[in-house]
Amino acid sequence: MVQGEGQSLARDSAAAPDLPCHEDAALAKPDQKHETSLYSHYEEKVRPCIDLVDSLRALGVEQDLALPAIAVIGDQSSGKSSVLEALSGVALPRGSGIVTRCPLVLKLKKLMNEDSWKGKINYQGVEVTIAKASDVEQEVNKAQAVIAGDGLGISHELITLEVSSPEVPDLTLIDLPGITRVAVGNQPQDIGEQIKALIRKYIQRQQTINLVVVPCNVDIATTEALSMAREVDPDGDRTLGILTKPDLVDRGTEDRVVDVIRNFICPLKKGYMIVKCRGQKDIQDRLSLAQALQKEQAFFEEHPHFRQLLEEGRASIPKLADRLTSELIRHISKSLPLLESQVKENHQNVSAELQKCGTDIPEGESEKLFFLIDKIKAFNEDITILTEGEETVKSSETRLFTKIRREFHKWNEEVGKNFLKSFLDIRREITKYENQYRGRELPGFVNYKTFETLVRRQVKMLEEPAVQMLHQVADLTRQSFVEVAEKNFPEFFNFFRTSKTKIEDIKTEQEQEAEKCIRLHFQMEQIIYCQDSSYREALQHTREQEAQCSKKGKQSSLLSLSPESSMDEIFDHLTAYHREGAAVRS
């Protein structure tokens, strides 16, 4: 937009020679008498900024960042195409109804050392070279027919028209469909909402200057284009109202038009301008842009109401161009700092991505082999350090061995909790035995089958928690190995993916083997066995501990659950067996 604005101004001030129909508006050589101080003003103040944005566009920045542009919006048949033609000098399709059916990005490029005219149109991946200016309108219509069909529908797809010539400024303009309210013919019933959505997509960009075109012979308060511009630009920083068709104003209503221009009716921060562009009859009469500018000047000079607007600098295409130059300078001043900030941010993001890629890969085959060996060697060294528990960690991180030690500590607590929780069940089992199955045993004698059943049940309850702990330890180890691979191969995605897959395979294989060993161990634990000497020591220690509690006037927490002597005895044996097993585990 930055470029577009300033150049349109220079173009506007330069009148075109007599050429038939639209060719004159397209790229005619300006008359010397129309090259006023406006062009010098443009060259001195706007051109440096235009060149800067142009260089950004040449570098491809426009693919990632929105560069300044000018969007012309207006209700259907408001004269916006005429304004666009007068500002840019490029002939676009004209007529009644929806003429612009696709967003048209018009890029004008000034050729410094060439005299030839060049045109090019791009849409849907198709690029067509335009031989002469008179073919522009035809090619644009053809492109719209391909994209939006032969009917009167619209499309969001862009048409890009590039025009290069010594007589055009570096300028970017966006021509958008005219706002309509009622579907006609084969148009979709929601055509009005479709057009509004398309226009809003462009005018809400902060890098866009909105030129709102309104005919003088309508009530400006009911203009949809102005209402939409206010929605996206409530402060009016990017909106300039342009009144067209002053020759169609009914007699007696001129004062109201003057009030609008002077910002009395619907105030805009940037205000309004009034212009008189070529009408359809002027085009049919092959009136050139130069002649149209002269005719416009005469119209305002002779008009009793609008003559004062001309003197105030609020009327005519050249005055509009001059006004846009000033507005453009201010808009560039606002846009460029934002663009600079965005460029810096994108540059930092890209630099961070590049750093992840590491050093360059050698091109020679032998160098590639050594490079690969070094990468694998570094990975293996880090794995070795990890398995030895010597890896370097940050202050907020923990070594793998410490994490695994915590899991084993949780397992030991689980064993103790399981033994304590089972006392109530054991008491019920012993009570059931005493009441239903006790035979000739005297009180205090332990039934071996009952003891064996209780021990096996306790062991069985610990099997699944043990397997679960194995899975947790395996996941911790796998995650640490994957982190090592990610650290060593960040720039080699396929290498990292292969390493991760191998780590997963090894983890699964080893985990399965470990689970088999754990389940086999629990099967062995189902066989009740303990060396006599070890068991006697454990049983004696248990009874001594209970005796000490009795001397202190306390009851063991275990004995408190079993008031009868048989229960006391079996609990002594269970405690001794559990204690001996804990000693073996430690």
Side-chain angles (χ1 to χ4, degrees):
M1 157 176 154
V2 170
Q3 298 174 329
E5 266 75 87
Q7 293 148 335
S8 80
L9 309 178
R11 177 55 184 265
D12 301 336
S13 63
D18 295 340
L19 293 177
C21 195
H22 296 308
E23 292 97 278
D24 54 50
L27 297 168
K29 188 174 182 179
D31 295 334
Q32 293 294 329
K33 61 181 180 179
H34 289 98
E35 292 188 357
T36 62
S37 60
L38 172 63
Y39 191 78
S40 298
H41 180 69
Y42 159 78
E43 287 289 336
E44 293 174 2
K45 294 191 176 182
V46 181
R47 187 64 197 209
C49 294
I50 297 295
D51 289 340
L52 174 59
V53 176
D54 200 26
S55 63
L56 293 176
R57 184 173 284 110
L59 291 173
V61 174
E62 196 171 21
Q63 298 178 7
D64 302 305
L65 303 176
L67 295 179
I70 299 176
V72 183
I73 63 173
D75 290 4
Q76 196 176 82
S77 301
S78 62
K80 67 179 184 65
S81 294
S82 300
V83 174
L84 189 64
E85 176 186 274
L87 288 174
S88 66
V90 176
L92 297 175
R94 280 172 169 253
S96 59
I98 300 179
V99 178
T100 304
R101 299 192 290 133
C102 303
L104 177 65
V105 179
L106 179 60
K107 296 183 177 180
L108 304 179
K109 297 182 179 180
K110 185 176 183 65
L111 299 177
M112 303 303 295
N113 301 317
E114 300 181 37
D115 294 332
S116 60
W117 184 93
K118 298 178 183 179
K120 184 170 58 176
I121 189 169
N122 291 276
Y123 57 94
Q124 291 187 340
V126 178
E127 181 176 304
V128 179
T129 300
I130 304 176
K132 51 185 178 179
S134 59
D135 295 335
V136 170
E137 183 177 3
Q138 178 183 351
E139 292 297 335
V140 172
N141 282 328
K142 186 186 299 184
Q144 291 189 145
V146 172
I147 295 176
D150 294 330
L152 296 177
I154 67 168
S155 173
H156 284 244
E157 290 193 49
L158 286 172
I159 298 175
T160 301
L161 175 63
E162 297 183 15
V163 176
S164 303
S165 171
E167 284 80 31
V168 299
D170 293 317
L171 172 64
T172 298
L173 299 170
I174 302 177
D175 188 19
L176 300 173
I179 301 172
T180 186
R181 295 174 177 81
V182 181
V184 179
N186 60 352
Q187 289 180 344
Q189 292 301 312
D190 63 340
I191 185 66
E193 292 302 320
Q194 290 185 27
I195 292 176
K196 289 180 182 179
L198 174 58
I199 293 175
R200 193 175 288 109
K201 174 182 176 181
Y202 287 91
I203 65 175
Q204 66 185 3
R205 297 174 180 172
Q206 295 300 311
Q207 293 79 9
T208 302
I209 288 181
N210 302 321
L211 303 185
V212 181
V213 182
V214 181
C216 288
N217 57 345
V218 301
D219 185 2
I220 192 172
T222 63
T223 303
E224 190 70 27
L226 186 58
S227 176
M228 292 185 64
R230 281 179 162 177
E231 290 178 8
V232 299
D233 182 30
D235 295 331
D237 291 334
R238 301 181 291 109
T239 304
L240 176 64
I242 304 176
L243 270 61
T244 61
K245 305 180 181 180
D247 52 324
L248 300 182
V249 175
D250 294 335
R251 290 185 177 180
T253 61
E254 294 90 350
D255 289 339
R256 179 173 177 80
V257 174
V258 174
D259 289 342
V260 170
I261 300 298
R262 289 178 174 168
N263 228 7
F264 294 153
I265 305 299
C266 294
L268 276 180
K269 192 173 181 179
K270 288 187 179 297
Y272 296 84
M273 299 285 292
I274 185 171
V275 297
K276 181 183 180 301
C277 304
R278 294 187 305 175
Q280 193 62 36
K281 187 176 184 304
D282 295 331
I283 295 174
Q284 293 174 355
D285 295 339
R286 298 180 180 272
L287 187 70
S288 69
L289 269 181
Q291 294 171 332
L293 289 175
Q294 294 173 0
K295 185 176 180 180
E296 180 196 41
Q297 182 75 13
F299 172 82
F300 285 117
E301 288 178 350
E302 298 172 0
H303 200 283
H305 294 84
F306 301 152
R307 180 173 57 248
Q308 188 174 359
L309 296 177
L310 180 64
E311 295 173 356
E312 295 173 357
R314 301 172 187 255
S316 80
I317 291 294
K319 296 295 184 181
L320 173 61
D322 192 19
R323 172 67 183 280
L324 281 177
T325 301
S326 301
E327 295 292 347
L328 180 59
I329 293 173
R330 286 194 288 268
H331 193 66
I332 291 175
S333 300
K334 287 185 178 181
S335 299
L336 288 185
L338 177 60
L339 287 175
E340 181 182 8
S341 173
Q342 292 174 338
V343 168
K344 288 182 178 179
E345 181 180 355
N346 287 8
H347 180 266
Q348 291 176 353
N349 294 336
V350 173
S351 298
E353 292 295 328
L354 288 175
Q355 289 179 357
K356 294 181 181 179
C357 296
T359 58
D360 294 339
I361 301 176
E363 296 183 359
E365 293 300 324
S366 60
E367 289 82 0
K368 287 181 180 179
L369 179 60
F370 285 114
F371 179 82
L372 178 61
I373 293 174
D374 290 339
K375 297 295 291 185
I376 296 176
K377 181 180 178 182
F379 170 75
N380 290 336
E381 289 176 352
D382 287 345
I383 290 294
T384 301
I385 293 174
L386 181 68
T387 56
E388 293 176 351
E390 298 296 334
E391 72 271 25
T392 302
V393 295
K394 299 178 181 179
S395 58
S396 59
E397 298 176 343
T398 306
R399 283 180 171 173
L400 175 62
F401 268 56
T402 304
K403 295 178 181 177
I404 295 177
R405 186 176 288 106
R406 289 174 180 172
E407 294 300 324
F408 278 101
H409 180 69
K410 292 178 182 178
W411 161 250
N412 190 56
E413 291 179 348
E414 182 69 23
V415 174
K417 291 178 180 179
N418 175 270
F419 185 72
L420 294 175
K421 288 180 181 178
S422 64
F423 280 144
L424 292 177
D425 294 333
I426 293 173
R427 179 177 180 176
R428 283 193 293 267
E429 289 292 329
I430 295 176
T431 302
K432 182 178 180 180
Y433 165 76
E434 289 288 333
N435 295 332
Q436 296 183 16
Y437 304 114
R438 182 180 174 189
R440 298 178 61 189
E441 296 90 351
L442 296 175
F445 283 83
V446 178
N447 183 281
Y448 180 75
K449 288 295 183 181
T450 302
F451 176 77
E452 184 181 46
T453 301
L454 294 173
V455 171
R456 285 180 175 177
R457 182 177 300 174
Q458 277 192 308
V459 171
K460 186 65 177 178
M461 291 173 62
L462 292 172
E463 182 174 355
E464 292 306 321
V467 173
Q468 182 63 31
M469 187 202 69
L470 166 66
H471 294 327
Q472 293 173 353
V473 171
D475 286 338
L476 288 173
T477 305
R478 176 196 59 80
Q479 181 61 33
S480 296
F481 276 49
V482 169
E483 290 175 357
V484 172
E486 187 176 9
K487 170 188 172 184
N488 283 270
F489 313 126
E491 68 273 29
F492 302 102
F493 175 76
N494 290 331
F495 210 168
F496 169 70
R497 182 177 59 184
T498 302
S499 302
K500 186 178 179 181
T501 301
K502 290 295 182 181
I503 292 172
E504 293 283 355
D505 293 342
I506 295 174
K507 176 253 183 184
T508 301
E509 180 181 352
Q510 297 295 325
E511 191 175 20
Q512 290 175 351
E513 291 296 324
E515 183 175 346
K516 289 180 182 179
C517 292
I518 289 176
R519 294 194 183 278
L520 177 61
H521 184 76
F522 271 91
Q523 289 179 7
M524 295 172 63
E525 289 288 343
Q526 293 293 318
I527 301 174
I528 307 303
Y529 175 79
C530 185
Q531 291 187 0
D532 292 346
S533 59
S534 299
Y535 186 76
R536 287 194 189 101
E537 291 179 1
L539 183 60
Q540 182 180 357
H541 181 73
T542 299
R543 287 173 174 172
E544 290 176 353
Q545 185 178 14
E546 291 179 358
Q548 291 177 358
C549 291
S550 298
K551 290 181 179 179
K552 294 179 180 180
K554 298 180 181 179
Q555 273 193 325
S556 170
S557 59
L558 304 183
L559 295 177
S560 64
L561 297 175
S562 48
E564 298 188 15
S565 60
S566 58
M567 289 189 184
D568 297 342
E569 185 67 18
I570 199 169
F571 272 119
D572 285 347
H573 284 278
L574 287 174
T575 302
Y577 193 83
H578 171 73
R579 179 171 292 158
E580 180 59 24
V584 172
R585 287 194 301 273
S586 60

